[in-house]
Amino acid sequence: MNKMTTRARPLRADAVRNREKILAAAATVFARRGLDATLDEVALEAGVGVGTVYRRFPDKDTLIGALFENAVDEIATIALSAYEAENSWDGLVWFLSEALQRQCVNRGLREIVIGAPYARERMESVKCRIAPAITQLIERAQRDGFLRDDVVSADFAILEMMISSLGCMTEEFSPDLWRRYLTIVLDGLVVKREHPTSLEQPLDESVAEEALRLKSRHVLRVH
Amino acid sequence: MNKMTTRARPLRADAVRNREKILAAAATVFARRGLDATLDEVALEAGVGVGTVYRRFPDKDTLIGALFENAVDEIATIALSAYEAENSWDGLVWFLSEALQRQCVNRGLREIVIGAPYARERMESVKCRIAPAITQLIERAQRDGFLRDDVVSADFAILEMMISSLGCMTEEFSPDLWRRYLTIVLDGLVVKREHPTSLEQPLDESVAEEALRLKSRHVLRVH
DNA sequence: TTTCAAGTGGAGTTACCAACTCCGTTTACC
DNA sequence: GGTAAACGGAGTTGGTAACTCCACTTGAAA
């Protein structure tokens, strides 16, 4: 049972090329502008007409689903691999860094992860693999005496959302600034410590200025 | 030179009453729904027609300006009072709690503070008083050896934005949940500690569930 | 009590935006 | 060279929000 079963004839060569161009363009556009970007923008970026986009993907949901299933799955895989680390705290930190890295670089992915109203059902199953993996990471780090005992997995979902929202805001002028706040939060999550963990990512004058100016352009919208 | 100078006749009695109703309604609506709420909503809440709202306040900006100038000024006052505290760490924590409390309960205020595109110029002068006051709070807490040395005032603006955005999201079902994350962040900001500070605000099963569901309705929008 | 400027309500106007369709034209491939 | 598939992009549909207009109502001055 192959693709031929569902499609009498294969796509024409130019159609295949355009399909690739559309997917690539959509990846770029949704990463940069989030899931609110229009398919007109995707078409423009791909160098094709909107009609062509809608011929290949019946609606926005389908395109978004096709685009992000892998990326979400990758995060699940990272959560599972993190459990392999011999040090449970390092594993937890590694997972957070890797997951946040991907979300901060890609606004569309971030919105899918926090549950934006696109391709919901399609993502549901993939996301179901993530939650238990994180719970295990957390509980092991608590048993080992690294992570404070009074936090649960929902706390991590919330902290991740907070940090990734910041990451997406500051991505254009200081793409790693979010790491600074991840470090501070981690210093708040550890059971005890003698010194602050050094903040690798600096916040120099010009970046600070831009951060204060640019955050004003970002507003929370409720659907 | 009194009000009569600028207005030939005083407002009619019913007009004065309506003006008050409009201001009260606007306070309610903008607090609950943020500055994106329409003046139609304000009129509905006030029990008057939209025309009446526009007769009193020529545009949305003017109404928002009239409404939030005091609230922002109050935050500046809190920052100044916090410097009076004998313990510099307690003063800093008190300022953050009080400022965040007001912003989490009032989405409109939060958006004004982070610089939403309404009544910008009018707020500029008031907000200018806040930044230096915070800088002083921070530097004193650092001199006293409480606050880690590697953070600056822009960090606090960013952390405040992160926490208040969460507060506004969860306000309807767990109005103090944000305090949980403020505590964690503060535990990350202190120079050193032996134990985690206890999280006063619990995150029970049902709240956790709702937090994960509801956050999906909130999306970051760039203007 | 009359008079009328001030005030009112809310349907309507204007302007915008995004998802998606339609159809005359072009193109790959048999 | 014939033709079904593919294409482009103007146009349609449906929605939203800021703000206006005007026939009607009302407070208060004379």
Side-chain angles (χ1 to χ4, degrees), chain B residues 11-51:
Chain B
L11 285 180
R12 234 165 65 175
D14 57 342
V16 172
R17 268 198 312 278
N18 279 337
R19 190 175 191 281
E20 294 310 310
K21 283 200 283 184
I22 290 165
L23 279 170
T28 306
V29 169
F30 287 130
R32 190 170 55 219
R33 303 240 306 101
L35 301 180
D36 276 346
T38 67
L39 293 202
D40 289 58
E41 284 174 86
V42 171
L44 187 72
E45 174 82 23
V48 304
V50 221

Side-chain angles (χ1 to χ4, degrees), chain B residues 27-99:
Chain B
T28 306
V29 169
F30 287 130
R32 190 170 55 219
R33 303 240 306 101
L35 301 180
D36 276 346
T38 67
L39 293 202
D40 289 58
E41 284 174 86
V42 171
L44 187 72
E45 174 82 23
V48 304
V50 221
T52 305
V53 175
Y54 279 97
R55 168 169 297 271
R56 278 315 132 234
F57 302 93
D59 58 22
K60 207 176 162 180
D61 252 43
T62 309
L63 175 55
I64 288 175
L67 208 52
F68 288 106
E69 207 157 32
N70 285 341
V72 175
D73 196 81
E74 201 179 308
I75 292 181
T77 306
I78 293 168
L80 291 169
S81 317
Y83 202 75
E84 318 276 283
E86 65 277 16
N87 179 299
S88 59
W89 177 255
D90 293 347
L92 184 61
V93 171
W94 180 77
F95 163 71
L96 290 173
S97 302
E98 293 293 314

Side-chain angles (χ1 to χ4, degrees), chain A residues 16-184:
Chain A
V16 172
R17 268 197 314 277
N18 279 337
R19 189 173 191 280
E20 294 310 311
K21 283 199 282 183
I22 290 166
L23 280 170
T28 306
V29 169
F30 288 130
R32 190 169 56 218
R33 303 238 307 101
L35 302 180
D36 276 346
T38 68
L39 291 202
D40 287 58
E41 284 174 84
V42 172
L44 187 72
E45 174 81 24
V48 303
V50 222
T52 305
V53 176
Y54 280 96
R55 168 170 297 270
R56 276 316 132 232
F57 302 94
D59 56 24
K60 208 176 161 178
D61 251 45
T62 310
L63 175 55
I64 288 176
L67 208 52
F68 288 106
E69 207 158 31
N70 285 342
V72 175
D73 196 81
E74 202 178 310
I75 292 181
T77 306
I78 293 168
L80 290 168
S81 317
Y83 202 76
E84 318 276 282
E86 65 277 16
N87 178 300
S88 58
W89 178 255
D90 292 347
L92 184 62
V93 171
W94 180 77
F95 163 71
L96 289 172
S97 302
E98 292 294 314
L100 281 168
Q101 163 66 26
R102 280 161 178 77
Q103 291 177 59
C104 290
V105 144
N106 190 332
R107 271 187 60 190
L109 177 58
R110 168 176 183 269
E111 289 169 15
I112 285 288
V113 169
I114 73 172
Y118 295 102
R120 276 255 179 77
E121 30 354 298
R122 184 152 174 192
M123 294 301 163
E124 211 55 48
S125 61
V126 194
K127 292 208 288 184
C128 282
R129 292 173 47 215
I130 301 184
I134 295 178
T135 303
Q136 290 210 307
L137 275 179
I138 291 170
E139 287 173 357
R140 185 169 65 130
Q142 286 172 330
R143 276 197 306 277
D144 291 354
F146 295 122
L147 177 64
R148 56 195 296 164
D149 278 316
D150 50 5
V151 293
V152 297
S153 87
D155 286 310
F156 279 80
I158 287 171
L159 290 168
E160 214 181 305
M161 181 183 58
M162 282 171 45
I163 295 171
S164 67
S165 83
L166 174 83
C168 288
M169 285 182 192
T170 58
E171 201 267 333
E172 30 188 328
F173 59 90
S174 185
D176 281 325
L177 189 61
W178 60 272
R179 292 184 187 275
R180 193 173 165 88
Y181 305 97
L182 174 60
T183 302
I184 292 174

Side-chain angles (χ1 to χ4, degrees), chain B:
Chain B
M1 210 192 295
N2 59 25
K3 277 182 180 175
M4 295 305 125
T5 321
T6 58
R7 175 174 287 284
R9 253 161 241 248
L11 285 180
R12 234 165 65 175
D14 57 342
V16 172
R17 268 198 312 278
N18 279 337
R19 190 175 191 281
E20 294 310 310
K21 283 200 283 184
I22 290 165
L23 279 170
T28 306
V29 169
F30 287 130
R32 190 170 55 219
R33 303 240 306 101
L35 301 180
D36 276 346
T38 67
L39 293 202
D40 289 58
E41 284 174 86
V42 171
L44 187 72
E45 174 82 23
V48 304
V50 221
T52 305
V53 175
Y54 279 97
R55 168 169 297 271
R56 278 315 132 234
F57 302 93
D59 58 22
K60 207 176 162 180
D61 252 43
T62 309
L63 175 55
I64 288 175
L67 208 52
F68 288 106
E69 207 157 32
N70 285 341
V72 175
D73 196 81
E74 201 179 308
I75 292 181
T77 306
I78 293 168
L80 291 169
S81 317
Y83 202 75
E84 318 276 283
E86 65 277 16
N87 179 299
S88 59
W89 177 255
D90 293 347
L92 184 61
V93 171
W94 180 77
F95 163 71
L96 290 173
S97 302
E98 293 293 314
L100 281 168
Q101 163 66 25
R102 281 162 178 75
Q103 290 177 59
C104 290
V105 143
N106 189 332
R107 271 188 61 190
L109 177 58
R110 168 176 182 268
E111 290 170 14
I112 285 288
V113 169
I114 73 172
Y118 295 102
R120 276 255 179 79
E121 27 357 295
R122 184 152 175 192
M123 295 301 163
E124 211 56 48
S125 60
V126 194
K127 292 207 288 185
C128 282
R129 291 174 48 216
I130 300 183
I134 295 178
T135 303
Q136 289 209 309
L137 275 178
I138 291 170
E139 287 174 356
R140 186 169 64 129
Q142 286 172 329
R143 276 198 305 279
D144 292 354
F146 294 122
L147 177 64
R148 58 196 293 164
D149 278 316
D150 50 4
V151 293
V152 296
S153 85
D155 287 311
F156 279 81
I158 288 172
L159 291 168
E160 213 181 305
M161 181 183 57
M162 282 170 45
I163 295 172
S164 66
S165 83
L166 175 83
C168 287
M169 285 182 193
T170 57
E171 202 267 333
E172 30 188 327
F173 59 89
S174 184
D176 281 325
L177 189 62
W178 60 271
R179 293 184 187 276
R180 191 173 167 88
Y181 304 98
L182 174 59
T183 303
I184 291 174
V185 167
L186 288 170
D187 269 7
L189 286 172
V190 84
V191 166
K192 66 167 183 167
R193 60 184 166 73
E194 296 299 319
H195 308 290
T197 306
S198 91
L199 303 175
E200 313 265 308
Q201 187 59 33
L203 176 63
D204 58 51
E205 196 73 31
S206 67
V207 172
E209 214 171 296
E210 208 138 10
L212 295 182
R213 200 190 332 290
L214 282 192
K215 73 183 164 50
S216 65
R217 298 196 302 122
H218 297 75
V219 160
L220 217 50
R221 173 147 311 193
V222 181
H223 288 278

